[in-house]
Amino acid sequence: MVDLKGQYNAIKDIVNPSIQEVIETTSFINGPKVREFQNNLENYLGVKHVIPCANGTDALQIAMMGLGLKPGDEVITADFTFAATVEVIALLNLTPVLVDVNEDDFNINVEAIKRAITPKTKAIVPVHLFGQCADMEAIMEIAKEHNLFVIEDNAQAIGANYTYSNGEKVKAGTIGDVGATSFFPSKNLGCYGDGGAIFTNNDELAQTIRGVVNHGMYKRYHHDVVGVNSRLDSIQAAVLDAKLPHLDNYNKARQNAAKKYNETFKTIENIITPQISNACTDICDNCDCHVFHQYTLRLNGVDRDALVKHLNENDIPCGVYYPIPLHKQKAYIDDRYNDEDFKVTNQLVKEVISLPMHTELDNEQIEHITSIIIKFING
Ligand SMILES: *Cc1c(COP(=O)(O)O)cnc(C)c1O
């Protein structure tokens, strides 16, 4: 699904000395590289504060801790996402409230959010799934009206732009009160291990979060709040700092691959190619509202299991993200949910298939992949 080796070979000469430098200076924890990367990412995103941490799941948890959410507070999030989002809500003894998504862009449905709001609702966690933002303009409006926090799960959309209806563009993850991202190796900006970060434009929240990530300390050995130990190590920061200048090109490579896939599948009736929902209406050459963390098709009248098997037999990797709605996962089943309220997610889990998507994918590989799929479908 990804070609991390090919990507590494192309940037070896920058990454290796960057790692070597950390080893030579032995500042493995909170070294200058972490600070450097933090500053560079703040500039890239146009956000006041980036707080690096150990992984994307921690980033979400720490964001919720920083906002002071309390047990029993209800937090609304999408039924169709990776479990990390709902996991941290449950871990903090907050009450997850799963809602359905849109069938066109797979993102959280705004009307479903509105229906789910109760006097106990304290936050909304939109997940920018597969590389494009949820409908942030509408979500921020709902949040304002009901006095709710917005925590963006930006693990899959780093570098994506969100375009407001007035044409103004901002980076995904910098719109809500706080954003969380992951630098897991296969993410759009991945390190060589685990890593994550929290973004915010709120000075006070940033200060609180800087303590939370470090055992609740604001002054050495003074523990003012219950915190966690969640750090981005300096070697990972060195990798990320070497890769950050390439992020736009990496995302561009993904968009080009998506464009090529889309063009090839255009005439195939049983395939619904990914839709761009934002103010960008098409995969345009000069916009980056979708950064294609995954290239996910919907199959209509195709036996997905048979297609997966066929692809595997032809040594073509593929994935089903996600095969089970969160409201049906054993850990998160709850009497509060009515299966009827999750029509879209229930449908999508049966239809979706994600194809290889990475920065090293070339036209020849895409032609090979698409021709095998099209031949299978046309029998
Ligand atoms: C990857 C991912 C996470 C978790 O990130 P980790 O760094 O693996 O902890 C959270 N949410 C979404 C949507 C993700 O894709």
Side-chain angles (χ1 to χ4, degrees), residues 76-80 97-101 108-109 112-113 116 341-342 345:
I76 298 173
T77 194
D79 190 36
F80 188 61
V97 177
L98 297 168
V99 302
D100 210 1
V101 297
I108 195 164
N109 181 277
I113 294 176
D341 292 333
F342 301 95
T345 304

Side-chain angles (χ1 to χ4, degrees), residues 55-58 60 81-82 84-85 127 129 153 155-156 182-184 187 194-195 322:
N55 58 68
T57 309
D58 275 7
L60 286 163
T81 175
F82 181 55
T85 328
V127 182
L129 205 71
D153 182 342
Q156 301 190 1
S182 162
F183 304 122
F184 188 79
K187 299 285 156 93
D194 273 309
Y322 296 91

Side-chain angles (χ1 to χ4, degrees), residues 6-16 18 37 40-41 44 158-159 171 187-190 192 238-255 288 291 358-360:
Q7 194 192 58
Y8 168 64
N9 283 337
I11 55 168
K12 214 178 198 162
D13 293 345
I14 318 163
V15 171
N16 287 4
S18 193
F37 170 63
N40 290 333
L41 188 58
Y44 173 82
I158 195 156
K171 286 285 179 211
K187 299 285 156 93
N188 290 38
L189 179 62
Y192 296 169
V239 173
L240 291 164
D241 205 39
K243 286 178 74 174
L244 181 61
H246 298 271
L247 178 58
D248 283 343
N249 281 337
Y250 288 159
N251 284 339
K252 187 61 82 188
R254 289 172 178 271
Q255 288 170 332
D288 46 9
V291 294
H358 54 82
T359 58
E360 313 305 306

